[in-house]
Amino acid sequence: MAVTYKGFSTVDRYKKFRVTDFELVKRDLMNHFSIRKGEKLMQPNFGTIIWDTLFNPLDQDTKNAIIQDVKKIISYDPRIAAENVIVTEFEQGIQIQIDLLYISTDQRSTLNLQFDQQSKTTQIL
């Protein structure tokens, strides 16, 4: 029997506030990526290192650290799995492409995230 996850999001206000299943998982993932590691009260290991690497040169060691961080964050959520993670530079930040698998329905989706140095925001493309 398939489980339906239900939640709310106020991010896309022009749409319905209710989100379910894979869209809810993506929103939860975005919330995790919006928090700098060590920023969450009483949970110093929660969050991402990506915000701390934005001004570093994007060499192979930095890319590998980001890929490992992304995979670790995705592994926190038992509803999804990362099949592939690609890190590239874009104008003033980092772009991450994640091929996700929603386990309960075997649905696949590509999530493109941009982390911008100047506005300090994360976007889903």
Side-chain angles (χ1 to χ4, degrees):
M1 183 171 130
V3 177
T4 299
Y5 297 99
K6 297 178 183 178
F8 295 93
S9 175
T10 59
V11 175
D12 299 322
R13 292 185 179 208
Y14 61 91
K15 295 181 181 178
K16 297 183 284 185
F17 289 110
R18 178 184 278 170
V19 288
T20 58
D21 294 329
F22 205 12
E23 291 306 313
L24 177 63
V25 172
K26 289 178 193 177
R27 181 55 46 205
D28 290 345
L29 196 57
M30 285 300 302
N31 290 338
H32 197 133
F33 281 119
S34 295
I35 298 174
R36 184 184 299 256
K37 190 168 202 122
E39 191 174 57
K40 190 169 183 182
L41 186 63
M42 306 283 289
Q43 293 186 0
N45 293 323
F46 189 87
T48 182
I49 64 165
I50 296 170
W51 296 108
D52 298 327
T53 63
L54 281 177
F55 292 100
N56 295 348
L58 193 59
D59 58 10
Q60 195 59 45
D61 290 337
T62 305
K63 284 183 181 182
N64 289 340
I66 291 170
I67 289 169
Q68 291 306 316
D69 188 57
V70 168
K71 288 181 178 180
K72 181 179 171 186
I73 288 169
I74 291 172
S75 72
Y76 286 143
D77 194 330
R79 301 172 291 182
I80 55 173
E83 294 187 320
N84 193 26
V85 178
I86 300 171
V87 177
T88 56
E89 285 185 273
F90 87 103
E91 297 165 2
Q92 297 175 349
I94 297 172
Q95 181 168 318
I96 301 173
Q97 178 181 323
I98 309 167
D99 294 330
L100 292 174
L101 170 65
Y102 183 55
I103 295 171
S104 67
T105 62
D106 204 31
Q107 182 181 359
R108 287 171 169 71
S109 178
T110 300
L111 187 65
N112 291 301
L113 307 173
Q114 288 184 343
F115 295 82
D116 191 349
Q117 293 173 348
Q118 299 223 337
S119 64
K120 297 183 179 174
T121 59
T122 308
Q123 291 184 37
I124 297 177
L125 299 177

